[in-house]
């Protein structure tokens, strides 16, 4: 799998050239041009050309270049992939697959991309990300996570998953009826575990109220604590928060470095563990700390 930084994935309607240009000026790790939910049916076909033009002609800097196509069960999916890849496949990094319910939906896009890459003689493979936003997808998330070598990440899609599960949000207006705790904890843990087991990235889904930065930071922090590496942003104001939350803090980096050095010194002396700052540091702890240091290097904080 190609290693990419995905702390923030900014959603941008492919139907709006103005918004696409604004997205290029942000610090998002990834910008994905959306042909699905953010685009009205009457505009979907025209939006493909906007996506191709943006991929070919705009300065993306170091951003990951992505397009979210329509789902495999729609009549737009086939032409979404063909027109975008034939128009700008050499400039495209990732296609985001919405609403898969089983591995077969990922295979559809994998097979189509293989055919196009061969036909066009593209030198690099285009990666896939898939949204877990249907009850059937969450029920089969382990199979979906293992479904394709192209698959680089899964994303938890809260909106459609809420509808698919029949969740009732109206009761939230009454404090006495609110769900106790994080209603997404199980879904987050299950998806993140499936991703980690298959060596792919786990991305937390969108937070709808972009005027509530504290709420966005809280949800991002919960996801990061559980092992997610990034979160969607539906507004540029959320990007800085995601980039901060999904990178180690200076304290975490300093502590990880100190603990790793203590363990290395102990092993040189023949010990299998070390004590540092009142904490036992053994091989298991070092595995955690090495992950922190690797993340620090990837995000430029090391």
């Amino acid at each position: 799998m190609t290693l990419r930084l995905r702390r923030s994935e900014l959603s941008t309607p492919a139907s709006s050239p103005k918004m696409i240009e604004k997205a290029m000026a942000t610090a998002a790790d990834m910008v994905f041009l959306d042909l699905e939910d953010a685009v009205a049916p009457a505009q979907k076909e025209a939006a493909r050309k906007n996506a191709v033009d943006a991929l070919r002609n705009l300065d993306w800097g170091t951003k990951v270049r992505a397009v979210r196509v329509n789902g495999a069960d729609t009549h737009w999916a086939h032409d979404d992939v063909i027109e975008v890849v034939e128009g700008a496949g050499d400039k495209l990094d990732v296609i985001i697959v919405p609403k898969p319910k089983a591995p077969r939906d990922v295979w559809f896009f994998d097979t189509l991309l293989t055919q196009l890459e061969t036909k066009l003689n593209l030198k690099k493979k285009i990666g896939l990300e898939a949204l877990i936003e249907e009850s059937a997808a969450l029920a089969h998330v382990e199979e979906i996570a293992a479904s394709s070598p192209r698959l680089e990440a899964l994303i938890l899609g809260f909106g459609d998953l809420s509808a698919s599960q029949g969740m009732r949000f109206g009761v939230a207006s009454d404090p006495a009826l609110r769900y106790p705790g994080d209603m997404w904890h199980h879904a987050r843990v299950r998806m993140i575990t499936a991703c980690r087991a298959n060596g792919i990235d786990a991305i937390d889904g969108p937070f709808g109220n972009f005027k509530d930065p504290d709420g966005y930071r809280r949800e991002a922090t919960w996801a990061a604590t559980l092992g997610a590496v990034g979160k969607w942003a539906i507004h540029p104001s959320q990007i800085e928060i995601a980039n901060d939350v999904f990178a180690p803090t200076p304290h975490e980096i300093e502590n990880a470095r100190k603990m790793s050095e203590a363990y290395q010194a102990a092993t040189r002396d023949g010990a299998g563990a070390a004590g540092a700052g009142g904490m036992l540091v053994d091989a298991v702890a070092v595995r955690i700390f090495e992950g922190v240091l690797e993340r620090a290097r990837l995000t430029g904080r090391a």
Side-chain angles (χ1 to χ4, degrees):
M1 184 186 82
T2 302
L3 186 64
R4 308 188 199 274
L5 197 56
R6 292 180 165 92
R7 296 169 300 178
S8 51
E9 294 193 354
L10 177 63
S11 170
T12 306
S15 55
S16 174
K18 182 178 179 181
M19 293 184 71
I20 293 173
E21 288 190 17
K22 286 185 176 180
M24 295 304 107
T26 71
D29 289 336
M30 171 191 280
V31 169
F32 70 89
L33 308 179
D34 192 10
L35 296 172
E36 198 216 12
D37 284 350
V39 179
Q43 296 179 304
K44 287 185 184 290
E45 294 182 9
R48 295 170 188 152
K49 182 180 184 301
N50 293 338
V52 170
D53 288 345
L55 288 166
R56 297 218 69 86
N57 300 319
L58 296 183
D59 181 5
W60 288 67
T62 60
K63 294 177 179 62
V64 179
R65 305 173 182 218
V67 172
R68 176 165 68 162
V69 296
N70 288 277
D73 60 346
T74 73
H75 67 275
W76 295 294
H78 180 266
D79 288 343
D80 282 349
V81 177
I82 291 175
E83 290 188 28
V84 170
V85 174
E86 286 189 339
D90 58 326
K91 303 293 185 181
L92 180 64
D93 296 316
V94 170
I95 279 180
I96 299 178
V97 176
K99 299 179 179 66
K101 295 182 178 179
R104 67 176 182 272
D105 298 317
V106 178
W107 299 338
F108 169 81
F109 291 100
D110 190 337
T111 300
L112 186 52
L113 283 173
T114 297
Q115 293 171 347
L116 286 166
E117 288 167 348
T118 302
K119 173 186 173 182
L120 301 171
N121 195 28
L122 297 182
K123 302 303 181 186
K124 67 173 184 177
K125 282 188 174 293
I126 297 168
L128 291 174
E129 296 186 7
L131 278 149
I132 302 302
E133 54 182 346
E134 295 287 335
S135 296
L138 188 59
H140 295 281
V141 68
E142 293 83 7
E143 299 163 43
I144 293 172
S147 64
S148 168
R150 279 187 198 275
L151 194 61
E152 298 181 2
L154 296 181
I155 310 134
L156 196 59
F158 300 119
D160 280 294
L161 188 54
S162 299
S164 180
Q165 290 190 196
M167 287 186 168
R168 294 177 59 197
F169 288 100
V171 298
S173 60
D174 184 346
L177 299 177
R178 287 178 184 163
Y179 187 83
D182 175 17
M183 69 175 66
W184 296 114
H185 180 75
H186 166 74
R188 282 186 169 119
V189 170
R190 186 165 180 183
M191 188 195 77
I192 291 168
T193 301
C195 288
R196 292 288 179 172
N198 288 280
I200 63 177
D201 288 338
I203 309 298
D204 204 47
F207 184 80
N209 186 358
F210 60 83
K211 293 185 178 180
D212 181 9
D214 292 337
Y216 183 86
R217 181 177 288 275
R218 179 186 66 245
E219 298 268 332
T221 300
W222 288 349
T225 301
L226 293 170
V229 301
K231 185 170 179 64
W232 268 19
I234 62 167
H235 190 274
S237 64
Q238 296 176 330
I239 294 168
E240 183 178 353
I241 300 172
N243 286 351
D244 181 49
V245 169
F246 290 98
T249 66
H251 174 73
E252 286 178 303
I253 296 168
E254 179 184 359
N255 186 58
R257 188 174 290 122
K258 180 173 67 177
M259 295 299 181
S260 295
E261 289 172 354
Y263 178 76
Q264 290 167 8
T267 55
R268 285 195 298 268
D269 294 336
M279 181 176 178
L280 177 69
V281 185
D282 58 8
V284 175
V286 168
R287 185 178 175 188
I288 296 172
F289 295 134
E290 286 178 347
V292 172
L293 295 175
E294 176 59 29
R295 189 73 180 159
R297 287 188 286 270
L298 183 62
T299 58
R301 292 192 173 186

